[in-house]
Each structure stands twice: as structure tokens, then as C-alpha cells.
Amino acid sequence: MRVESEPMKIAEDLLAHYGVHARRLPWRVPPGSNEAADPYRVWLSEVMLQQTTVAAVAPYFARFTDRWPTVADLAAAADGDVMAAWAGLGYYARARNLLACARAVARDHGGVFPDTEDALRALPGVGAYTAAAVAAIAFRRRAVVVDANVERVVARLFAIATPLPAARTEIRAAAHRITPDARAGDFAQAMMDLGATICTSRSPACGICPLRQDCAAFRTADPAAFPAKAAKKARPHRLGHAWWIERDDGRIWLIRRPDKGMLGGMRALPSSDWSVTAPPAAPPFPALWTALADPVTHVFTHFSLDLMVHVARVEGDCLPPGEGEWWPLDRLDEAGLPTLFRRAADAAMKENIQDAW
DNA sequence: GACACGTGGGA
DNA sequence: TTCCCAAGTGT
């Protein structure tokens, strides 16, 4: 005979806890509030929060909503402005899809977010998770919201031993069982709060968990062992070159990367391909090139990179090959460089200061 | 299902 | 230092 709490009891216990302990977040309406959540803000926050921490998102969310208060404002924004505003947050396909989604809402939905999970799911950059989250949180629909937090909490509640990702089907079915018909949005946010603050990946605080009496993993020797996960692959290493071209009027040459691939759509220094073996350091044009002593090291999700930075100072009549723009050094912050190239720029400028001395 | 796709913080 | 991971989506 199984010892398992009633599905409804889990939701009741969790929502009671959430009513008292809900985190106050800029995009969140407090539990029990009569105020309705703004679908635009809910959607924007959900996209920003994909694979990204609350701490990292908060300042970006503030800047975006200040500059583009409505989905119509965002839909009317220039591509480059949005990409630059996203710079540093990572996963830049999100920014491209964000704009595409805002414009689809403006063009196909009269500037109003659709209020069903299916219609939301059809929008660019809105997958199963985000569609369910927006439907539940902004439109108070009964949707089963499953993110990594929910997966972890559910895997523990029911001590699901199947390793991820194979356990997804089983976890989703269990999440469906415990999701209440009413307040599914609060329930989802409560699950995520629990996963972020108590039922954490490494050392869950079971002693203060409102669900410990409902939790099968709590009754095992090692609750943190759930969910089991498949082994990860080793991270390969790559090498590349980047070119810092500084003109005598205090500008540097920036290009825009193609939409597809790494850092797609972002401003960048000209650079070589990033290969497993060092590509030949073939500069974009002949000049007096100086390589920085140390490469810029950067770790991406699926590989790490050593980027050699080569510096050249050129005359005002120099025109590097290909598309690009001369960008004033004193406004480099506004260029919206992704972190890799921001670090390369910092290294190049530091080197130049040493030259001047 | 597998893989590409960023970044910064915590243990 | 190194590894893991954080409100996933698209292909």
C-alpha cells in the first residue's frame, strides 16, 4: 500500500505557504491580490527567466519595461535597440524571438496577447513552459506549468527514480495530478518559489519545507538524490582570433554577427571561426598587428573558448573589408556587445593604456 | 531524444 | 579550480 498524500492536499499545503512566503518580484502580483497581472510583463519576465536567474533578470526587466512599457512599444522598437538592450543576458535567440513575438501580437492579435495556451504556444519563442506559465499566471487558466523547479519538486514528492530526461513524461503526469483547477498560476509560482528557495538542487531545506509530510523523497535517506540525471558530456575547448581595429579618431570597427549561430544578431569584434585547433591568425587586412599576451577565456554552455585578441591602430582613411561601423570608444557601453567581446574590448583597452605609458 | 544556444554565481 | 546550474526553445 502506498503512502501518498491526496493530490489536493499538496496544492492546499503549498498555496497556504505561498500566501505567507511568496517572493515579491517586480513582475509578480502578490497572491490574493485583486489586481490582474499584465500579460506583457508576465510574458517578458518568463522569456527573460528562461535558463536565467532572478538576480540577473531584474535589472534587464526594469530597463525593458521602462523603455518599452507595452507590447506595442516593443513591437515598434528597432531591432538593434532591442538586441543592444539584451546584451549580457545571453541566449540571444530569445531577443530575436522576443521582437518577433511582440510584432506577431501587434499584427495578428490586435496588440493583445492571446489568452489560451494553444494560441500562446504558436508565438515565436513561446514553448510549452512559457505558454502554460502565461496562461496560468496572466489569464488564470488551469495550465500545467513544468519547468526545472517543478520537475525537481515533483520528482521528490513522488520519489521518481527514472533519470531525466526520460522521466519527463512521468513527471508531467504527476504535475498534472497535483495542479489545482483554481489558482493554477499561484500554484505554479509557488512551486517555483519552493524550488528556488527550499527544495533546491543541492541541499534542500527539508526542515522548513511545507510539503515534507507529503514528500516521498523526504522519507528516503537522500532527498537530494532526486531527480536522477543522465551523465553529462565533457565540454570541448575551442580557439579563435578577434581583431581590435582602433582608428586615430578614437573609434573602433564593429560588425554585426549573422542572425544564425553563436551570438547571432549581436554587435561584435571581427573574429575568425572558433575551431578545435587554432585557426591561422589571418588578419582582415594588412596592418601592424600586435597580439595581446593572454587570450580572453570564456566558457559557453557547450564549449570553452580561448580568444586571441589582435590590436591594430589605423589611419582615418582606413576602411576594413566587409560590413561594419566605426564606433566611438567613449560610447562602447551603448554598443551592446555580448560578454565575450566586452571582455575582449576591456583587454584591448587595458593593453593600450599600458602602451601609452 | 540530442544538440545548439550565454552568463554569472555558488559550492 | 572546476563543476553545476537557473522560470527553455528551436531544430
Side-chain angles (χ1 to χ4, degrees):
Chain A
M1 160 164 189
R2 290 195 307 170
V3 181
E4 183 173 296
S5 296
E6 292 294 321
M8 197 169 302
K9 180 178 183 309
I10 293 174
E12 285 170 1
D13 289 348
L14 186 62
L15 285 168
H17 182 264
Y18 185 69
V20 179
H21 297 287
R23 288 183 294 173
R24 305 298 298 252
L25 301 171
W27 44 86
R28 179 179 283 180
V29 172
S33 167
N34 289 324
E35 180 192 354
D38 177 354
Y40 169 64
R41 293 167 64 89
V42 173
W43 161 75
L44 178 61
S45 68
E46 291 300 343
V47 173
M48 287 184 165
L49 286 162
Q50 290 167 9
Q51 299 287 285
T52 309
T53 58
V54 165
V57 163
Y60 284 85
F61 181 82
R63 285 194 292 270
F64 268 69
T65 52
D66 182 59
R67 188 167 176 184
W68 300 295
T70 70
V71 67
D73 296 321
L74 184 58
D79 293 39
D81 288 345
V82 174
M83 298 310 289
W86 197 276
L89 198 54
Y91 284 147
Y92 298 99
R94 292 185 295 172
R96 300 194 297 275
N97 286 328
L98 191 82
L99 248 183
C101 181
R103 289 169 181 167
V105 169
R107 185 184 65 243
D108 304 334
H109 299 277
V112 180
F113 272 89
D115 65 356
T116 66
E117 203 174 340
D118 283 350
L120 288 162
R121 178 70 182 78
L123 293 167
V126 177
Y129 162 76
T130 302
V134 174
I137 297 169
F139 297 114
R140 306 196 173 207
R141 292 195 179 265
R142 200 273 185 181
V144 181
V145 180
V146 182
D147 74 329
N149 286 304
V150 175
E151 283 183 349
R152 185 171 59 254
V153 172
V154 168
R156 287 176 180 166
L157 280 171
F158 302 100
I160 293 171
T162 312
L164 289 172
R168 294 251 152 81
T169 306
E170 197 178 342
I171 288 173
R172 181 168 190 83
H176 193 288
R177 267 182 271 126
I178 63 174
T179 299
D181 290 334
R183 297 186 67 190
D186 280 348
F187 177 76
Q189 294 177 93
M191 289 286 276
M192 294 189 277
D193 274 17
L194 189 76
T197 62
I198 293 175
C199 194
T200 57
S201 182
R202 286 180 182 165
S203 49
C206 300
I208 59 169
C209 181
L211 300 185
R212 67 183 177 281
Q213 300 307 329
D214 307 310
C215 182
F218 178 62
R219 298 189 285 271
T220 72
D222 185 12
F226 299 91
K229 292 182 182 176
K232 288 187 167 54
K233 290 197 337 181
R235 196 199 316 273
H237 192 75
R238 297 187 191 178
L239 303 164
H241 301 278
W243 314 97
W244 176 263
I245 308 163
E246 184 170 343
R247 206 165 65 168
D248 54 12
D249 67 348
R251 294 168 185 254
I252 56 153
W253 183 252
L254 296 182
I255 58 108
R256 188 172 294 280
R257 295 175 63 84
D259 277 345
K260 294 205 169 190
M262 288 292 294
L263 313 177
M266 301 300 287
R267 281 206 184 90
L269 303 184
S271 69
S272 68
D273 289 339
W274 306 334
S275 316
V276 175
T277 58
F285 59 89
L288 190 57
W289 293 99
T290 304
L292 300 190
D294 300 313
V296 171
T297 64
H298 195 71
V299 179
F300 296 103
T301 303
H302 56 296
F303 65 91
S304 59
L305 177 68
D306 275 356
L307 189 68
M308 294 300 304
V309 181
H310 304 263
V311 175
R313 294 176 176 278
V314 301
E315 302 295 317
D317 58 358
C318 170
L319 184 64
E323 295 278 316
E325 57 191 325
W326 290 109
W327 192 271
L329 267 177
D330 57 6
R331 287 177 39 220
L332 195 57
D333 286 346
E334 300 164 41
L337 293 177
T339 298
L340 167 68
F341 291 111
R342 177 73 243 190
R343 288 188 182 160
D346 289 343
M349 289 187 289
K350 188 176 171 188
E351 181 71 11
N352 284 346
I353 289 170
Q354 291 172 353
D355 286 352
W357 284 87

